[in-house]
Amino acid sequence: MTEFLDYIVTARSEILALFLEHIRLTGLALAAAILIGVPLGILISYLKPASKPVLAFANLVQAIPSMALLGLTIPVLGIGMKPAVFLVVIYSLLPIIKNTYAGLMNINAQTLEAAEGIGLTKWQILFKIRIPLAMPVIMTGVRISAVSAVGLMTLAAFVGGGGLGFLVFSGIRTVNNAKILAGAIPACILALLVDRIFSAVETLVTPISLMAGTNKEKKIHQKKKERILAACSAVLLLALYGISAFHPKEETAIRIGTMDFSENETLAYMLSEAIETTLGVPVETIPDLGGSSICFTSIQSGDIDGYVEYTGTIYVSILNNEAISDTEAVYQISKEGMKEKFGLELLSSLNVNNTFTLSTTKEIAGRYGLSTISDLKKHNGRLRVVSTLTFLNRSDCLVRVKDLYGLTFADEIGVDGSPRYTALLNGEGELIDAYSTDGLLKKFDLTVLEDDLGAFPPYYAVPVFRPEILEKYPEIAQITDRLARQLSTELMAELNYLVDEEDIPASQVAHDFLKEHLPEFARGDSI
């Protein structure tokens, strides 16, 4: 609890900014869902043959995993707030459409017949009879969508959209419970606030005749109370939304994206600060875009201008080559392949080899006599490996290790990110995959098994840029070369430790590194 409170105090400005951003994103998505869902619900109540396919489609969308749908939208909508808002709109439609349709269809037939009898037109019946009577049911659907939208919008951080999910994902990545709670608790508070507001609005729009109870005066008093509460809450939310929505946006000459782990983020901030300081042009760093595939898709679409990739990933996953251990060959083939197939430029390696490893606790290593990967063969079928989904499925990762070393495991459990460290420490597995520069290896004092047969290809960090950016700013290549002369695999592991264990922001770690080793690349003051 003390750690959580300390974090809240030190990061209060960041938490507030992300909270306001979360309100803005959720409000935008919910407004769009209402503007689409309510008219669609009204339409299918009149065009009854259309009701089944529309509701079936809305149900089908709900059945698609949210992460899968988000991934499918990135090639079309790019990164940032657009795919996140689209995702929340799509998932918010079903309750709104269904409740609008149900509310309009369940109005007493005699009431509608009486309205027709006194000469009301169809439009008058709709706006004066059907919608007012259906409004409580419609608002229930909106209320459900609003509350779920707050939670679902945390996924925006996964594609660089911001919001409170940034803290949640960062906390999971670094096994930092204080950071997770700092993102989750405000999201819960916001969800409860939104639920209370829409509950008040729901009561407000309910006709007196439909309210429970018999005392009309109490009903009127309750409606006044709810009206005041709704008005005050709405004003508060609009004020917060306005603060977060109308802030000046800086002009950006170069946009550099990052993957969702500490090293990649730190290297990107180094590049950004060095380029901005040297060239005098504004550079935007877009953190936590997710895995390599999202960054690669983003640079192809022009959403970002550059990012730091790894030679092994390019060679095996992007160019579809069989894994080899020749560092120079992997780099040259990767450089030529990215240029020929995708029109992208690889700059010089940053001298950081972040290859895969298999790791375990010192206690498990001692118990089973493990120091190399070959030692695992003595325990075939007995040990469990908990690995990232990437390591579990890629041909140059666990598949290659098993083939080359002749290994079998009791179980192969796929998880995403740093929870695999927690699983190892909790005894839910005996082995995990890790990157050779992971700060969490030092944090948890793990043993790295030697890859004695060379299963893993080299994974040297290399900046990837769009060619038009390098044509406009050729000095970026010299900046990369100078960074590489100061970096090393061992030093990168120490920098990652500062982010993962000491909880220093990656941007600050990058700035401090430049200030110490390349002061001409560092900004004049701390960030």
Side-chain angles (χ1 to χ4, degrees), residues 65-308:
S66 56
M67 289 298 290
L69 186 58
L70 186 62
L72 291 172
T73 61
I74 291 171
V76 179
L77 298 177
I79 58 173
M81 65 176 288
K82 288 187 289 185
V85 169
F86 175 80
L87 176 76
V88 175
V89 169
I90 289 295
Y91 276 93
S92 299
L93 283 176
L94 179 62
I96 297 174
I97 295 173
K98 184 177 286 187
N99 278 46
T100 301
Y101 177 72
L104 293 171
M105 294 303 294
N106 288 321
I107 295 173
N108 190 294
Q110 293 177 342
T111 302
L112 297 178
E113 188 176 336
E116 290 179 2
I118 63 174
L120 294 183
T121 65
K122 286 187 176 181
W123 286 106
Q124 288 174 323
I125 292 173
L126 174 64
F127 288 104
K128 293 186 176 182
I129 306 295
R130 299 189 73 185
I131 290 180
L133 291 177
M135 190 58 74
V137 180
I138 295 172
M139 284 307 304
T140 299
V142 173
R143 181 179 173 186
I144 293 169
S145 293
V147 174
S148 62
V150 174
L152 195 59
M153 190 54 78
T154 56
L155 290 177
F158 190 73
V159 289
L164 292 167
F166 177 80
L167 293 174
V168 175
F169 285 122
S170 297
I172 292 172
R173 186 187 70 203
T174 58
V175 196
N176 187 326
N177 291 333
K179 189 173 285 190
I180 295 172
L181 291 173
I185 291 176
C188 290
I189 293 171
L190 181 59
L192 293 172
L193 178 61
V194 166
D195 181 66
R196 187 68 188 94
I197 290 170
F198 280 96
S199 174
V201 175
E202 188 178 333
T203 302
L204 183 64
V205 299
T206 301
I208 292 292
S209 60
L210 298 181
M211 293 184 71
T214 57
N215 191 326
K216 188 173 181 179
E217 290 183 357
K218 286 186 177 181
K219 293 178 184 177
I220 295 173
H221 177 73
Q222 178 66 18
K223 285 177 71 70
K224 287 181 179 178
K225 181 179 176 181
E226 296 287 1
R227 186 182 294 115
I228 293 170
L229 175 62
C232 293
S233 300
V235 169
L236 176 61
L237 277 184
L238 284 172
L240 293 174
Y241 179 84
I243 293 170
S244 62
F246 300 106
H247 54 80
K249 187 172 180 63
E250 296 181 0
E251 290 293 325
T252 302
I254 302 172
R255 294 156 298 172
I256 297 178
T258 88
M259 298 182 206
D260 56 350
F261 58 95
S262 304
E263 174 180 304
N264 199 266
E265 194 174 331
T266 303
L267 289 173
Y269 276 115
M270 281 184 197
L271 273 174
S272 296
E273 184 170 343
I275 292 170
E276 188 170 83
T277 303
T278 305
L279 303 182
V281 298
V283 181
E284 180 185 4
T285 308
I286 307 173
D288 287 324
L289 290 181
S292 170
S293 59
I294 295 178
C295 288
F296 183 59
T297 301
S298 299
I299 196 171
Q300 285 184 296
S301 65
D303 286 323
I304 60 175
D305 300 309
Y307 76 105
V308 177

Side-chain angles (χ1 to χ4, degrees), residues 498-513:
L498 294 176
V499 178
D500 294 335
E501 174 59 15
E502 301 296 332
D503 202 28
I504 302 173
S507 56
Q508 187 65 52
V509 170
H511 172 77
D512 293 342
F513 169 84

Side-chain angles (χ1 to χ4, degrees), residues 210-441:
L210 298 181
M211 293 184 71
T214 57
N215 191 326
K216 188 173 181 179
E217 290 183 357
K218 286 186 177 181
K219 293 178 184 177
I220 295 173
H221 177 73
Q222 178 66 18
K223 285 177 71 70
K224 287 181 179 178
K225 181 179 176 181
E226 296 287 1
R227 186 182 294 115
I228 293 170
L229 175 62
C232 293
S233 300
V235 169
L236 176 61
L237 277 184
L238 284 172
L240 293 174
Y241 179 84
I243 293 170
S244 62
F246 300 106
H247 54 80
K249 187 172 180 63
E250 296 181 0
E251 290 293 325
T252 302
I254 302 172
R255 294 156 298 172
I256 297 178
T258 88
M259 298 182 206
D260 56 350
F261 58 95
S262 304
E263 174 180 304
N264 199 266
E265 194 174 331
T266 303
L267 289 173
Y269 276 115
M270 281 184 197
L271 273 174
S272 296
E273 184 170 343
I275 292 170
E276 188 170 83
T277 303
T278 305
L279 303 182
V281 298
V283 181
E284 180 185 4
T285 308
I286 307 173
D288 287 324
L289 290 181
S292 170
S293 59
I294 295 178
C295 288
F296 183 59
T297 301
S298 299
I299 196 171
Q300 285 184 296
S301 65
D303 286 323
I304 60 175
D305 300 309
Y307 76 105
V308 177
E309 189 52 276
Y310 295 86
T311 53
T313 301
I314 296 172
Y315 186 84
V316 176
S317 297
I318 297 177
L319 299 178
N320 298 314
N321 295 309
E322 289 293 326
I324 59 174
S325 57
D326 188 325
T327 300
E328 185 59 27
V330 167
Y331 173 76
Q332 289 300 333
I333 293 172
S334 297
K335 183 178 176 66
E336 293 166 7
M338 290 289 273
K339 176 72 172 177
E340 292 172 6
K341 290 189 175 183
F342 307 107
L344 297 173
E345 295 285 353
L346 250 66
L347 298 182
S348 301
S349 161
L350 291 172
N351 199 32
V352 173
N353 184 18
N354 192 8
T355 191
F356 287 106
T357 68
L358 280 177
S359 305
T360 187
T361 64
K362 284 185 165 51
E363 188 272 329
I364 292 174
R367 185 196 314 163
Y368 292 101
L370 304 176
S371 60
T372 67
I373 298 180
S374 292
D375 292 334
L376 294 172
K377 194 169 184 179
K378 298 179 290 186
H379 307 285
N380 264 353
R382 295 172 57 193
L383 304 179
R384 298 164 296 170
V385 58
V386 182
S387 77
T388 59
L389 298 175
T390 297
F391 188 83
L392 192 64
N393 294 304
R394 270 177 38 177
S395 61
D396 61 325
C397 297
L398 189 60
V399 174
R400 178 170 167 81
V401 169
K402 292 194 295 183
D403 289 345
L404 186 61
Y405 286 92
L407 301 179
T408 58
F409 297 99
D411 200 3
E412 298 170 9
I413 306 164
V415 298
D416 202 10
S418 59
R420 67 194 191 280
Y421 285 89
T422 305
L424 176 66
L425 297 175
N426 288 343
E428 297 174 278
E430 287 74 41
L431 296 164
I432 63 167
D433 69 304
Y435 297 114
S436 56
T437 59
D438 268 1
L440 295 176
L441 290 173

Side-chain angles (χ1 to χ4, degrees), residues 19-39:
F19 181 74
L20 296 175
E21 189 171 40
H22 205 91
I23 291 173
R24 178 168 64 93
L25 293 170
T26 305
L28 182 61
L30 187 61
I34 293 171
L35 290 174
I36 296 170
V38 172

